[in-house]
Amino acid sequence: MTGQAHVLIVEDETFVRDVVERYLSRDGHRVTACRDGEEALAMFDADPPDIVVLDLMLPRIDGFEVCRRLRARSDALRYVPIIMLSALAGEDDRITGLSLGADDYVTKPFSPRELSLRVGSVLRRSQPAPGAEPVVSDGALVVDRSAHRATLDGVELSLTMREFDLLAFLVMHRGQVYSRADLLREVWGWEFGDSSTVTVHIKRLRAKLGDDPSTPARIATVYGLGYRYDGVADGAA
Ligand code: CA
């Protein structure tokens, strides 16, 4: 159990909204709900949530745009994870959602139980792991897991929660090769899932680290196996 969190649900379909609200309330969360993007942005400002469950198909401003605007707001204050709900199972929509800063993506129809587990998992991951060394660094890159921020040459990187988790995991396990399935399990906590999720996040991380994908200095592709973080501070670059 992750304790009580404030969950903001953005969903225009009354039935889905009510079911989600009931389930998450039963988990002990404080739940607020609204039915469109404009309301969501206003509620986000008035009573900041710990996590947002955001439907993609919304009237007026769609979920992608709401996600983009929420991400811009939440990064300025404190990181607020977003789980996107969508009836669209297409790869492109999932990838767009993840690239706009959603932390997880649940396809409709979903079981309320599954959503409740995802909310718990995302909330757990947004809190720093106890006991472990909080700051790891590699040359100009510093990853601070207690503050949940990473800097490169002293400049803070704008990372989603998953991108941060993935980077922290890789830097902590430098020199070791992990398959995409390994990373899904270790970083996402998923025993199974679409491994293209990992590919998307690696691509985004490389871009944010200024790592050239054809000759990456930090995150190497090990063909047929997966990925490996090579420490630039070790002279590998
Ligand atoms: Ca909808």
Side-chain angles (χ1 to χ4, degrees):
M1 278 285 102
T2 48
Q4 201 208 39
H6 173 201
V7 186
L8 172 61
I9 300 167
V10 191
E11 167 64 271
D12 58 315
E13 289 165 68
T14 308
F15 176 74
V16 178
R17 192 175 59 241
D18 288 352
V19 168
V20 169
E21 191 167 359
R22 202 160 54 239
Y23 251 80
L24 295 179
S25 300
R26 201 181 296 168
D27 286 346
H29 301 304
R30 179 163 75 87
V31 181
T32 49
C34 61
R35 61 195 71 217
D36 69 51
E38 278 170 16
E39 259 188 283
L41 295 167
M43 287 176 79
F44 187 92
D45 290 339
D47 184 11
D50 300 308
I51 184 168
V52 179
V53 175
L54 174 65
D55 185 40
L56 180 55
M57 303 296 276
L58 293 168
R60 299 204 289 262
I61 316 174
D62 74 16
F64 288 138
E65 182 58 27
V66 176
C67 183
R68 199 194 323 264
R69 294 193 199 173
L70 288 179
R71 188 43 74 232
R73 283 160 201 243
S74 87
D75 280 355
L77 305 164
R78 71 192 163 88
Y79 192 84
V80 178
I82 298 170
I83 296 180
M84 212 169 238
L85 299 180
S86 172
L88 310 171
E91 177 104 319
D92 289 351
D93 294 302
R94 209 169 44 75
I95 289 172
T96 305
L98 293 172
S99 69
L100 286 175
D103 297 282
D104 209 344
Y105 199 97
V106 177
T107 304
K108 290 178 182 176
F110 58 87
S111 77
R113 179 81 193 129
E114 183 196 356
L115 180 65
S116 137
L117 291 172
R118 294 281 184 97
V119 166
S121 155
V122 167
L123 282 170
R124 260 192 309 281
R125 277 155 205 285
S126 68
Q127 291 149 8
E133 186 58 50
V135 180
V136 283
S137 63
D138 174 37
L141 176 68
V142 178
V143 179
D144 183 341
R145 292 185 306 137
S146 57
H148 226 267
R149 63 201 289 264
T151 55
L152 184 63
D153 288 318
V155 178
E156 181 160 3
L157 297 170
S158 173
L159 302 176
T160 67
M161 190 177 71
R162 292 286 193 201
E163 287 166 358
F164 179 87
D165 288 345
L166 178 59
L167 178 63
F169 181 84
L170 290 170
V171 175
M172 284 190 297
H173 298 88
R174 73 173 67 170
Q176 296 176 44
V177 179
Y178 291 93
S179 69
R180 293 191 292 176
D182 291 337
L183 292 171
L184 268 186
R185 190 177 53 250
E186 298 289 342
V187 178
W188 277 256
W190 297 355
E191 284 304 324
F192 57 91
D194 185 347
S195 61
S196 67
T197 300
V198 176
T199 315
V200 171
H201 280 75
I202 292 281
K203 190 176 161 202
R204 302 276 305 175
L205 265 186
R206 280 179 175 153
K208 291 179 180 183
L209 291 168
D211 222 2
D212 178 354
S214 59
T215 53
R218 294 179 187 274
I219 305 174
T221 300
V222 184
Y223 289 98
L225 291 176
Y227 301 100
R228 182 189 62 223
Y229 187 89
D230 289 328
V232 294
D234 303 335

